Amino acid sequence: MSKPVVAVVGRPNVGKSTLFNALAGGMISIVKDTPGVTRDRIYADVSWLDRDFTMIDTGGIEPDSKDIILSQMREQAQIAIDTADVIIFITDVRQGLTDADSKVADMLRRSAKPVVLVVNKVDSFEKFMPDVYEFYNLGIGDPIPISAASRLGLGDMLDVVISHFPEGAGTEEEDERPRIAIVGKPNVGKSSILNKLAGENRAIVSDIAGTTRDAIDSVVKYDGREYVLIDTAGLRRKSKIKEELERYSIIRAVTAVERADVVLMVIDAVEGATEQDAKIAGIAHERGKGVIIVVNKWDAIEKTDKTMREYENQIRQILSFMPYAEIMYVSALTGQRLNKLYDRIDMVIANQTLRVATGVLNEILTEAVAMQQPPSDKGKRLKLYYMTQVAVKPPTFVIFVNDRELMHFSYTRYLENKIREAFGFRGTALRFYIRERKEKGR
């Protein structure tokens, strides 16, 4: 189920982060114990009424001069146009309408993407409404007055945002074809792998960073089965600044991972796994997708009998939060092992959609509890009543206990390991929810 993506664009200090934090309710999608998951708030999960969407912050600008601000805002607007279903354009009622606002509005208007114009810092509708009307001059629809800091008008704004979502967004469920996203840092060989998998030069590949065009999905038939390859095409424009490139590749990864069942996380064998790889992989982990780590350029490595093990250790260490991820060593250049990817993708999808009967789960639970006593605190011991699987993609389990506080993270992990020992679940994350049930009802 693919969630709509909403991108936020606006000048410095108009309140993008304040809005972000207000909507994400402080529960930004950052997993606390996951090393390498982005700490800078680039994206958040937001729910409004019965619609879920992913909100993306296209970038912070803090230069001093007017022209740098404008060129960077154009850059942000372009990212938003490339990746989002709906764009929120934030302006500031106190600063009034500026030249930069008008120029960015022109770009957004030409993009034909739905744009929601938001005027922030309207702490009193009576007092500021005349100033809000000035923003009609941008010619991109009705300005919506809000105050992100006081949380005024956010509901009205969200109503308009979700009204632009495609009918039944997220109903790609009918499409049973596996959706594969190829993600990774710039220049690790994503397009070359895509071309080899697609068996044709569909993406434009050259050695310059930032030559790939906008994302176009390819449908590929292999062994009688159809697959949809989501092209996260790297950058459309070259950026000299490393931070901007990194931020951009994370934004692209978020939008692609959101739509995928299985994520091929491409790592450059020559470079090894890096912090930036961990950030991008963290997105797939949080979203509970199937993950295959594809180590590309394996032909360029001098090998001994220990090379593969040393490599695996390095990757497992940097990506320690996803020990379940499969690892494959390939070369897009020579085509080495690339056709084996399809078998591995099929396996991961089978694991992502595997359902385990409640009876079997509870046998495992009983055995696990017998082998390792549940934790206790001040004489009160954790009791585990039963466990059941409630969802697939990723496989999701609910465990009923007498006291949630007693259920340590480490015990949940112990149970996860027991389930993996029994069923494998290779290549997919597992989710656990702990629910409390009062004793006397037993």
Side-chain angles (χ1 to χ4, degrees):
M1 179 149 154
S2 144
K3 279 195 285 195
V5 173
V6 176
V8 183
V9 175
R11 281 181 296 113
N13 308 320
V14 291
K16 291 202 293 279
S17 333
T18 317
L19 176 68
F20 221 65
N21 296 346
L23 290 186
M27 278 307 297
I28 298 281
S29 59
I30 292 173
V31 178
K32 299 298 177 292
D33 337 314
T34 312
V37 170
T38 69
R39 290 287 177 276
D40 35 356
R41 311 186 145 183
I42 293 183
Y43 61 96
D45 295 319
V46 182
S47 293
W48 178 244
L49 305 177
D50 55 348
R51 305 304 286 272
D52 295 332
F53 61 92
T54 298
M55 187 161 150
I56 290 185
D57 179 2
T58 51
I61 329 173
E62 278 135 31
D64 326 324
S65 80
K66 292 271 192 299
D67 34 310
I68 299 184
I69 287 187
L70 181 59
S71 75
Q72 289 218 339
M73 275 195 68
R74 284 196 169 124
E75 181 89 6
Q76 284 185 18
Q78 190 59 57
I79 292 176
I81 290 165
D82 288 353
T83 55
D85 298 299
V86 180
I87 298 165
I88 295 180
F89 180 25
I90 303 198
T91 56
D92 177 343
V93 75
R94 311 279 166 104
Q95 294 172 30
L97 190 51
T98 68
D99 191 36
D101 289 334
S102 306
K103 294 202 161 115
V104 170
D106 289 342
M107 253 181 98
L108 295 173
R109 188 169 46 242
R110 283 196 299 272
S111 78
K113 288 263 173 119
V115 178
V116 178
L117 172 60
V118 173
V119 184
N120 192 19
K121 306 190 186 173
V122 181
D123 298 327
S124 143
F125 290 156
E126 289 76 47
K127 189 165 134 201
F128 288 110
M129 271 334 263
D131 301 326
V132 171
Y133 294 135
E134 178 195 2
F135 289 88
Y136 271 106
N137 292 323
L138 288 174
I140 48 175
D142 301 334
I144 301 173
I146 67 161
S147 162
S150 323
R151 299 180 171 230
L152 287 173
L154 297 187
D156 294 344
M157 174 193 80
L158 288 170
D159 286 345
V160 177
V161 168
I162 67 175
S163 73
H164 290 294
F165 291 167
E167 249 324 289
T171 50
E172 285 180 51
E173 284 310 37
E174 276 79 271
D175 188 348
E176 287 295 303
R177 297 177 298 190
R179 307 176 75 81
I180 317 301
I182 303 174
V183 303
K185 294 193 312 237
N187 288 353
V188 290
K190 299 190 290 290
S191 297
S192 315
I193 287 179
L194 181 94
N195 292 342
K196 278 286 199 304
L197 287 177
E200 56 182 301
N201 277 333
R202 202 207 49 67
I204 301 158
V205 184
S206 72
D207 297 335
I208 323 157
T211 49
T212 328
R213 302 240 199 100
D214 231 336
I216 310 165
D217 296 350
S218 321
V219 176
V220 177
K221 216 169 181 164
Y222 182 81
D223 229 8
R225 187 176 188 185
E226 285 190 351
Y227 300 82
V228 179
L229 300 179
I230 298 171
D231 184 358
T232 55
L235 284 152
R236 291 227 313 205
R237 59 208 75 75
K238 299 178 193 61
S239 171
K240 300 287 174 286
I241 310 165
K242 184 166 175 282
E243 283 72 41
E244 271 184 26
L245 253 168
E246 290 197 349
R247 183 182 194 94
Y248 192 79
S249 52
I250 287 177
I251 287 175
R252 275 317 250 270
V254 172
T255 53
V257 165
E258 203 61 84
R259 297 169 46 218
D261 300 312
V262 175
V263 174
L264 303 186
M265 171 74 213
V266 185
I267 290 177
D268 183 325
V270 183
E271 251 189 293
T274 65
E275 273 304 302
Q276 173 72 356
D277 291 321
K279 281 186 175 180
I280 295 174
I283 297 164
H285 172 69
E286 284 180 18
R287 293 288 189 267
K289 303 296 182 176
V291 182
I292 300 172
I293 297 161
V294 180
V295 183
N296 188 26
K297 309 185 189 173
W298 192 239
D299 55 307
I301 300 291
E302 291 284 316
K303 298 174 198 58
T304 67
D305 51 355
K306 294 194 185 65
T307 313
M308 210 176 259
R309 188 175 308 124
E310 283 163 5
Y311 247 86
E312 171 143 1
N313 291 342
Q314 193 259 349
I315 291 171
R316 294 288 183 209
Q317 199 173 344
I318 299 274
L319 305 182
S320 57
F321 51 90
M322 41 167 50
Y324 54 83
E326 289 287 292
I327 301 182
M328 286 191 76
Y329 301 89
V330 307
S331 162
L333 193 64
T334 66
Q336 179 189 18
R337 291 200 197 87
L338 275 183
N339 54 354
K340 295 225 169 61
L341 265 173
Y342 284 111
D343 296 341
R344 202 63 67 96
I345 288 167
D346 290 345
M347 178 200 82
V348 170
I349 287 173
N351 285 337
Q352 271 239 298
T353 49
L354 183 62
R355 285 187 184 274
V356 181
T358 303
V360 182
L361 279 174
N362 287 297
E363 281 171 28
I364 294 172
L365 183 66
T366 310
E367 200 172 304
V369 169
M371 283 168 69
Q372 189 172 322
Q373 277 275 20
S376 61
D377 185 39
K378 302 194 182 62
K380 184 172 187 185
R381 186 169 293 286
L382 172 69
K383 281 187 190 150
L384 294 97
Y385 299 133
Y386 73 102
M387 168 160 62
T388 184
Q389 184 176 352
V390 292
V392 293
K393 281 193 185 180
T396 303
F397 304 91
V398 174
I399 303 175
F400 291 90
V401 301
N402 60 341
D403 186 345
R404 277 176 63 170
E405 297 294 299
L406 291 173
M407 186 75 177
H408 286 257
F409 172 64
S410 57
Y411 203 75
T412 308
R413 185 180 280 169
Y414 162 69
L415 292 175
E416 172 173 349
N417 290 340
K418 286 291 170 219
I419 289 173
R420 286 187 184 280
E421 275 170 32
F423 301 101
F425 280 120
R426 281 167 50 191
T428 178
L430 301 181
R431 292 236 167 101
F432 291 89
Y433 293 104
I434 311 302
R435 296 266 185 276
E436 229 170 74
R437 278 200 13 191
K438 290 296 163 261
E439 304 258 352
K440 59 178 187 302
R442 269 192 71 67

